[in-house]
Amino acid sequence: LTLDYVFKRDKSKVSFDSKRIARAISLAMQAAKEGSEIDAKTVTEKVIKQLLDYKKQNFNFIPEVEAIQDIVERTLMKTHPNT
């Protein structure tokens, strides 16, 4: 089971790239002066797992950038509340 696509804010469909999520998480942690690259990787893995869980429930699931951002924010708040 993989995530192949994501809907951007303009509703265009592009290839899913987990590295973009990892980079955004890493930048947020750097800005908050909290967490390491290992922490960013761990949070990224949790976000992707949650997205894959949604895909298991609905095989046609394609995440939207906004939904990914919401999941990232919730995951960061649980694991690194100051980020």
Side-chain angles (χ1 to χ4, degrees):
L1 194 62
T2 61
L3 296 163
D4 299 315
Y5 299 101
V6 63
F7 284 116
K8 293 175 57 172
R9 285 180 168 76
D10 67 3
K11 303 300 180 200
S12 61
K13 186 167 75 170
V14 297
S15 295
F16 180 83
D17 183 359
S18 63
K19 292 176 188 158
R20 293 186 69 145
I21 296 172
R23 179 159 166 68
I25 292 169
S26 180
L27 290 172
M29 289 182 160
Q30 288 174 13
K33 295 182 171 66
E34 182 175 320
S36 66
E37 288 300 317
I38 293 171
D39 294 327
K41 183 179 178 188
T42 300
V43 172
T44 301
E45 290 168 354
K46 289 180 181 185
V47 169
I48 292 172
K49 181 187 179 308
Q50 189 167 350
L51 291 169
L52 288 172
D53 287 346
Y54 289 139
K55 180 128 182 159
K56 285 178 190 173
Q57 295 172 10
N58 177 0
F59 185 74
N60 295 319
F61 173 72
I62 299 174
E64 296 181 2
V65 169
E66 291 87 355
I68 295 171
Q69 184 175 348
D70 290 346
I71 294 167
V72 167
E73 289 173 2
R74 283 194 306 269
T75 305
L76 279 171
M77 292 304 294
K78 287 179 187 173
T79 59
H80 294 83
N82 296 323
T83 305

